[in-house]
Amino acid sequence: MPDKITISINGTEIKTEEGKSILSVCKENDIHIPVMCHFPGLTDVGACRLCLCEVKGYNKLLPACTTLVAENMEIQTHTEKLKEYRRVIVEMFFSERNHMCSICVANTNCELQDMATEVGMQHVRFPFLNQECAVDASHPKYVIDHNRCIMCTRCVRVCSEVEGAHNWDVKNRGYNARVISDFDQPWGESETCTSCGKCLNVCPTGALWAKGSVQGKLDKFPEKITDLIEKRGIH
Amino acid sequence: MNTNELKELSEKIVEEGKAFKKKVCVCCGAGCLSSGSEAVLESMKQTIKDKGLESTVQVIPSGCMGPCNQGPLVKILPEETIYEKLDGDAVEALVDDHIVKDTPQEDKLLFSEYRDKPFVDSREDPFFKRQKRIVLENCGRINPESIEDYIGVNGYQALAYALHRSSPEHIIGEIKLSRLRGRGGAGYPTGFKWETVYRHVADQKYVVCNADEGDPGAFMDRSILEGDPHRVLEGMILAGYAIGATQGYAYIRGEYPAAIKRFEEALKQARKKGFLGRSIMGSDFSFDVEIRIGAGAFVCGEETALLASIEGKRGTPRPRPPYPAESGLWGKPTLINNVETFANIAPIVISGGTAFGEVGTPKSAGTKVFALAGKVQISGLIEVPMGTNLRDIIFEIGGGIPGGHKFKAAQTGGPSGGCIPEQHLDHPVDYESLQELGSIMGSGGLIVMDETSDMVDVARYFMEFCVDESCGKCIPCRVGTKQMFDLLTKIYEGRATDIDLATLEQLAHVVKDTSLCGLGMSAPNPLLSTLRFFKEDYIQHLKDSALANV
Ligand SMILES: Cc1cc2nc3c(=O)[nH]c(=O)nc-3n(C[C@H](O)[C@H](O)[C@H](O)COP(=O)(O)O)c2cc1C
Ligand code: SF4
Ligand code: FES
C-alpha cells in the first residue's frame, strides 16, 4: 500500500497517495491542467511544457505530468505567470509550422485549436517560421502531414508502447526535428507498420489522418486507445 | 599489486628517473600536435640518440603545457625551461646549446616576443606565476601513455590508501570536507552527490564520467584526459569504491580521438597492474570502466541525455526529478561527474579534505581550469585558484589585450553563460559571483573581447549555436531559440523596432523558465547579460534601423 500523504493545490488541502503524478492528483480532484504531450496510459515525456506548475521550494517550474507528489507539497497550477507562459507557448506552437485551421482536416476536432481558446490566445506575436514540411501519402490508408505536427511524440509512444511496432521515431534536432517512419522511409514502405491506426487516434492535431477524411469532419477515438491500454494493463 | 608493491614500484621509478640528468618533455597536446610537435619529438629522440646522450637525457611525449598558441613547445626538466615554436630542424642546435653547452637559447625561450627578458625558469613568468596547478600538476610533465610515469608521481596511492586504510564513508567525508563542487558547470557539491548515491540501496550502481565537452572553444577536459588520463581514472575508481559501484562508463566525445586512445590505453594498463577489474589491489572491491563514444551533440553533455545515449537511445534529456543519483543508467543509482571533478579526487584523498579547501574561496574551494581565448596576448590552458579575479587572469596571465585595443567583455560559460563588462573585472571568479553577474562558471571557457566586438553579434552567435544544438524535444527551446535568433538577426541587420526588442526580452524569460533542460534554460543567458551590460549596442542598432526607415 502506498503511503497516504497530504498536499495542497492552489491553497486547498488534498489527501492522496505517494507515487502519483501531480497531474493525476489534479484530475482526481477536478483541477484542469492544460496538456498536449501527455496521453493517458503512455509514458510521459514532459515536452510540451503546458502543464508546468509552481511548487514551493523549487526554483524551477515543474511539469505536472512527470512530477510525483510528495508529503506537504504546495502546488500552484494557475498563477498569472503560468497563464502568461502557457499563452506564449501556444503561440510558439502556432508559429512553428502551418496551423491554418480553415484548411485543416482536423478543424473543430483539434486539441491545439482548443488549447488556443483555453489559454486565451488572441494573436501570435512571433513571425511564422514557414517551414517547408513534407506530406507523406504513400501509405495505402493513411497520411502524415508534417505541417500540422507539433512533435508531441504521442504517435511514437503509442506505436512502440501499445502496438509494439515502433514504426515511428524522431530524426534531426531543434526545429528541424521530424517524426519518421522506420529509418526515414516513406510510410508506405514501412516494414514495421501494422496499419493499426492507433497513431491516428492519439494525434492531437491534423498531422495524422485516414485517407478520405473531410475537412472539419475528422473522426478520432482517443478514448478507445485509453480503454485498450487500461484493459491490457500496460504500465 | 598491493600497497607495499606499489610503494616499492613508485620508489624504483623515482630512483630510475634520477639516473637521467635531464628530462625533455615534448608537448603532444592538441595545440602543439597541430603545429607539428610530432616531428619535434622524432627529431629530439633521434638527436639525443645520435649524440650518445640516451643514458643521461630522457625524452618523453607529454600532455598540454598551457600556452597552446606558442607551440610546438619543449620543456626541459629539472630547470623548467620552456622553448617555443620549434620545428624538427631547430632541435639539434637547441640540444647543443641547452643540453651539451648548458647555455639557454634566448631567442627560442617561451614568450621571447612578449618579454623584454624571457625567463629561463618558466615558473617565474607571469603566465605561470599566478597559476596554481592541482588538476594539471602532471600535465606536461609525464608521459600520459605510461602508467609507470603516473605511479612515479604518487599515482594510485590515493586508491591504495582508500582500499586498505580507509572506508567509503571516510572517503565521502573527506570529499565533503574539501567542499569540492562539480566542474561540469552547475557547481553541485560533489561530496553530497556521492553521499546521495551511496545511500541509495541497489543491486547495481554506476559511475559515469562526463567527457562530452561540447562548449565551443572549450578544451579543458580534453587536455586533462590527453595529458593525465590515469588521474581521471583513479578518481572514477575511488568514486566506485565510495558509492559501491562495480561498473563505470567514460562518455568521451568522438571528436577527441587522442583522448579516447590514451584513456583506452590507461584502462588496459590499469587492468594489467590490478588497479581495475576483479579484487582491485588485493581487496574485495571490483570495478571496471568502459568507454562510450559520443557523436558530438552538445545536448548529450546534459546528464540525462548522456545516460540515454549510453543506453543506446536518442540523446534527449528527460525531466528531473528523478535525478540520476536515484534513477540513472537502466534505472539504477548513478553517479555522474565531470572529468575535472574526477581529476580533483586523488589529491583530496591524499592531502585530506581540509587542506584542499584551503585553496580558493569559502564557497568555491580548489582551483578551476580555464581555456583562455579571444583577444588576449597569450591564450591557452590555465589553472587558477577559485577567487582569482578576472582582471588578473586577463591582464597578468593573459598579458592583456593585443594591438592597443581596449577591453570590452569577458565571456564565461559559453552558450550558457554571459558577458562581463570592465566594471566587474575585479570580482573574484567563483560560482556565486559569476551567477550574480548573470553569467555562469560553466565548464571553463573564457573568451576575451575588445571594443571591436559588437555584443548583439556575440549574442546572436551563441543563440545560433543553441538553435543548432537544441534537441527539439521541448517547444520553448525548439522554437524559442529560433525566434530569438531571428529577432537578434533583425536587430543586427538594422530592421528592428523597440517592439522587437521587447518581444525578444519577454521571450528570453519564457524560454529560461519553461525549457526542459539546462540547454534551453540557459540559452537566453548571453542575450540577457549583453542586454544588461551592453544595452547601448542594441540601442545603436535600433537607431540605425530608425534612420534607415526615414
Ligand atoms: C546542455 C548541457 C550540456 C552539458 N555539457 C556538459 C559537458 O560537456 N561536460 C560536463 O561535465 N557537464 C556538462 N553538463 C552538465 C551535466 O549535466 C552535469 O551537471 C555534470 O556532468 C555533473 O558533473 P559535476 O557535478 O562533476 O559537474 C551539461 C549540461 C547541459 C544542460
Ligand atoms: S531545452 Fe532544448 S535541448 Fe533541452 S530538452 Fe528542451 S529542446 Fe531539448
Ligand atoms: S503534458 Fe506535461 S509537459 Fe506536456
Side-chain angles (χ1 to χ4, degrees):
Chain A
M1 272 292 279
D3 282 343
K4 295 256 183 260
I5 53 170
T6 308
I7 63 169
S8 108
I9 302 181
N10 303 332
T12 311
E13 231 180 55
I14 289 173
K15 295 217 185 307
T16 179
E17 286 158 8
E18 246 175 18
K20 290 184 177 176
S21 69
I22 296 179
L23 184 63
S24 57
V25 176
C26 284
K27 263 189 199 161
E28 286 164 10
N29 289 277
D30 289 326
I31 299 164
H32 175 77
I33 294 187
V35 294
M36 210 76 216
C37 62
H38 167 80
F39 187 89
L42 300 181
T43 307
D44 280 308
V45 288
C48 76
R49 316 308 283 167
L50 284 165
C51 70
L52 287 179
C53 292
E54 292 176 24
V55 179
K56 199 170 167 188
Y58 283 84
N59 56 4
K60 288 178 193 139
L61 304 175
L62 296 178
C65 62
T66 62
T67 309
L68 303 184
V69 290
E71 180 72 298
N72 295 327
M73 217 181 218
E74 289 178 39
I75 303 156
Q76 289 289 334
T77 61
H78 284 81
T79 61
E80 285 310 310
K81 185 167 91 177
L82 290 172
K83 285 196 256 178
E84 168 65 15
Y85 283 1
R86 284 175 189 146
R87 205 155 43 232
V88 177
I89 287 171
V90 177
E91 288 176 37
M92 284 196 236
F93 273 124
F94 272 88
S95 79
E96 187 179 16
R97 299 187 189 178
N98 181 330
H99 294 289
M100 296 293 173
C101 301
S102 54
I103 50 162
C104 178
V105 278
N107 193 6
T108 71
N109 190 6
C110 170
E111 291 180 43
L112 183 64
Q113 199 175 34
D114 296 345
M115 187 62 70
T117 316
E118 181 181 339
V119 301
M121 183 184 98
Q122 281 160 348
H123 69 291
V124 175
R125 77 195 75 187
F126 316 112
F128 292 104
L129 296 181
N130 290 326
Q131 296 194 63
E132 266 196 43
C133 296
V135 179
D136 177 357
S138 60
H139 191 282
K141 285 160 71 183
Y142 311 136
V143 176
I144 178 163
D145 179 355
H146 293 281
N147 292 288
R148 309 296 191 181
C149 171
I150 58 163
M151 299 304 294
C152 67
T153 68
R154 286 184 189 178
C155 56
V156 178
R157 285 173 282 150
V158 81
C159 187
S160 128
E161 294 172 16
V162 184
E163 179 62 6
H166 208 134
N167 170 61
W168 298 118
D169 214 315
V170 177
K171 73 165 180 182
N172 296 350
R173 285 203 297 252
Y175 70 98
N176 292 313
R178 297 287 184 274
V179 165
I180 52 167
S181 169
D182 270 2
F183 290 106
D184 201 10
Q185 287 138 320
W187 192 0
E189 289 168 26
S190 164
E191 289 178 16
T192 53
C193 174
T194 60
S195 302
C196 71
K198 290 190 175 64
C199 51
L200 275 64
N201 285 300
V202 298
C203 178
T205 67
L208 285 163
W209 38 276
K211 287 185 178 169
S213 303
V214 178
Q215 198 267 93
K217 299 245 175 343
L218 185 65
D219 281 331
K220 276 196 243 185
F221 304 100
E223 50 305 328
K224 282 193 179 166
I225 306 292
T226 311
D227 219 34
L228 184 69
I229 293 172
E230 269 168 23
K231 288 198 174 116
R232 284 208 203 144
I234 299 173
H235 297 300
Chain B
M1 183 173 303
N2 63 35
T3 308
N4 277 337
E5 285 164 353
L6 175 65
K7 212 166 150 227
E8 276 165 28
L9 178 60
S10 173
E11 280 162 8
K12 186 167 151 257
I13 292 166
V14 173
E15 212 46 51
E16 280 169 6
K18 283 187 190 150
F20 294 105
K21 259 172 52 204
K22 290 196 193 300
K23 180 169 174 180
V24 178
C25 310
V26 180
C27 182
C28 290
C32 285
L33 275 181
S34 66
S35 53
S37 65
E38 242 163 1
V40 175
L41 177 65
E42 279 321 303
S43 167
M44 185 61 80
K45 281 185 183 157
Q46 195 59 44
T47 310
I48 296 296
K49 197 168 156 200
D50 292 348
K51 296 194 183 286
L53 296 168
E54 273 172 308
S55 56
T56 51
V57 180
Q58 184 188 18
V59 181
I60 61 153
S62 81
C64 177
M65 297 176 183
C68 304
N69 276 3
Q70 313 297 118
L73 299 170
V74 163
K75 175 154 63 189
I76 303 178
L77 302 175
E79 57 268 41
E80 305 272 346
T81 308
I82 301 184
Y83 291 102
E84 66 176 16
K85 297 183 183 165
L86 296 174
D87 55 35
D89 299 338
V91 166
E92 192 178 352
L94 183 74
V95 171
D96 276 340
D97 286 349
H98 188 106
I99 294 175
V100 179
K101 294 187 207 140
D102 223 358
T103 42
Q105 263 196 356
E106 291 268 339
D107 59 328
K108 290 264 174 222
L109 282 174
L110 180 66
F111 302 136
S112 47
E113 77 225 72
Y114 304 129
R115 314 277 186 238
D116 298 336
K117 192 158 170 32
F119 296 87
V120 176
D121 182 341
S122 61
R123 288 169 300 187
E124 288 169 14
D125 189 283
F127 179 82
F128 289 106
K129 215 168 180 175
R130 298 300 302 260
Q131 297 193 43
K132 177 163 182 65
R133 298 195 157 215
I134 296 176
V135 169
L136 299 175
E137 68 182 324
N138 303 325
C139 222
R141 320 178 64 84
I142 64 169
N143 178 354
E145 297 193 36
S146 155
I147 194 170
E148 282 77 18
D149 270 25
Y150 183 65
I151 291 171
V153 289
N154 293 329
Y156 292 108
Q157 304 272 359
L159 180 64
Y161 168 80
L163 292 176
H164 299 302
R165 278 183 288 150
S166 181
S167 63
E169 297 77 13
H170 179 74
I171 297 295
I172 292 173
E174 289 299 320
I175 307 292
K176 278 170 81 177
L177 261 182
S178 76
R179 293 178 287 110
L180 175 69
R181 295 170 65 173
R183 302 296 195 239
Y188 189 82
T190 308
F192 286 104
K193 200 189 258 187
W194 286 32
E195 191 171 49
T196 312
V197 189
Y198 165 80
R199 286 217 175 120
H200 280 288
V201 183
D203 54 347
Q204 176 77 55
K205 296 182 193 178
Y206 297 101
V207 171
V208 174
C209 174
N210 188 341
D212 197 48
E213 195 168 56
D215 297 27
F219 55 95
M220 300 74 57
D221 295 348
R222 169 188 197 160
S223 302
I224 297 166
L225 274 177
E226 288 181 0
D228 198 4
H230 283 285
R231 174 63 92 68
V232 180
L233 179 58
E234 189 177 3
M236 287 183 73
I237 305 170
L238 282 163
Y241 171 72
I243 65 156
T246 53
Q247 180 64 45
Y249 292 95
Y251 189 91
I252 312 178
R253 242 174 121 73
E255 286 90 331
Y256 289 173
I260 294 168
K261 183 171 150 269
R262 286 180 198 167
F263 198 74
E264 183 79 64
E265 189 56 38
L267 292 179
K268 273 192 215 144
Q269 295 171 345
R271 268 185 215 120
K272 215 162 163 185
K273 288 258 189 293
F275 300 131
L276 200 61
R278 286 192 172 277
S279 304
I280 292 176
M281 299 189 81
S283 71
D284 54 11
F285 169 60
S286 300
F287 183 77
D288 213 326
V289 173
E290 275 179 43
I291 295 178
R292 286 287 182 273
I293 298 173
F298 176 55
V299 73
C300 282
E302 195 281 337
E303 55 187 29
T304 60
L306 187 150
L307 297 179
S309 174
I310 291 182
E311 290 177 4
K313 299 182 188 142
R314 181 173 156 89
T316 53
R318 60 154 178 82
R320 302 172 307 173
Y323 287 88
E326 181 191 343
S327 172
L329 273 180
W330 297 287
K332 303 293 181 189
T334 301
L335 173 78
I336 174 161
N337 276 128
N338 165 264
V339 170
E340 192 180 332
T341 312
F342 280 123
N344 271 301
I345 300 301
I348 292 174
V349 172
I350 287 180
S351 65
T354 318
F356 181 89
E358 278 162 13
V359 178
T361 64
K363 280 190 166 170
S364 303
T367 60
K368 180 75 197 83
V369 180
F370 286 100
L372 182 62
K375 300 289 176 59
V376 272
Q377 197 152 54
I378 301 163
S379 52
L381 193 71
I382 61 165
E383 180 176 356
V384 290
M386 292 276 189
T388 308
N389 64 46
L390 281 169
R391 193 179 299 281
D392 286 350
I393 295 177
I394 295 164
F395 290 90
E396 298 268 321
I397 296 174
I401 320 294
H405 287 286
K406 245 181 85 156
F407 170 86
K408 183 163 184 179
Q411 210 279 346
T412 70
S416 318
C419 294
I420 297 158
E422 166 86 36
Q423 70 262 34
H424 293 298
L425 275 189
D426 295 311
H427 269 250
V429 172
D430 65 17
Y431 293 97
E432 275 72 26
S433 70
L434 287 176
Q435 213 154 7
E436 274 165 35
L437 292 173
S439 189
I440 60 162
M441 174 81 77
S443 50
L446 177 50
I447 304 165
V448 181
M449 298 173 212
D450 66 16
E451 88 279 0
T452 60
S453 291
D454 174 347
M455 301 317 270
V456 178
D457 199 24
V458 170
R460 196 167 148 259
Y461 165 79
F462 284 114
M463 193 60 78
E464 184 172 26
F465 179 84
C466 292
V467 172
D468 287 344
E469 296 297 332
S470 162
C471 81
K473 178 170 179 173
C474 75
I475 175 88
C477 170
R478 182 174 78 232
V479 175
T481 53
K482 170 73 173 139
Q483 292 287 9
M484 286 191 285
F485 173 72
D486 288 350
L487 282 164
L488 278 165
T489 305
K490 203 172 167 191
I491 295 174
Y492 181 69
E493 290 175 352
R495 297 182 282 114
T497 62
D498 291 354
I499 298 171
D500 291 315
L501 190 59
T503 309
L504 180 61
E505 210 167 345
Q506 184 192 27
L507 193 53
H509 289 289
V510 178
V511 173
K512 198 177 168 70
D513 285 357
T514 63
S515 288
L516 192 161
C517 86
L519 194 157
M521 286 176 196
S522 59
N525 284 352
L527 161 64
L528 288 169
S529 85
T530 49
L531 262 178
R532 173 169 161 198
F533 293 121
F534 303 93
K535 188 128 191 190
E536 64 281 2
D537 285 21
Y538 287 83
I539 304 287
Q540 188 56 46
H541 280 282
L542 290 184
K543 274 193 195 144
D544 292 348
S545 18
L547 280 178
N549 288 333
V550 171

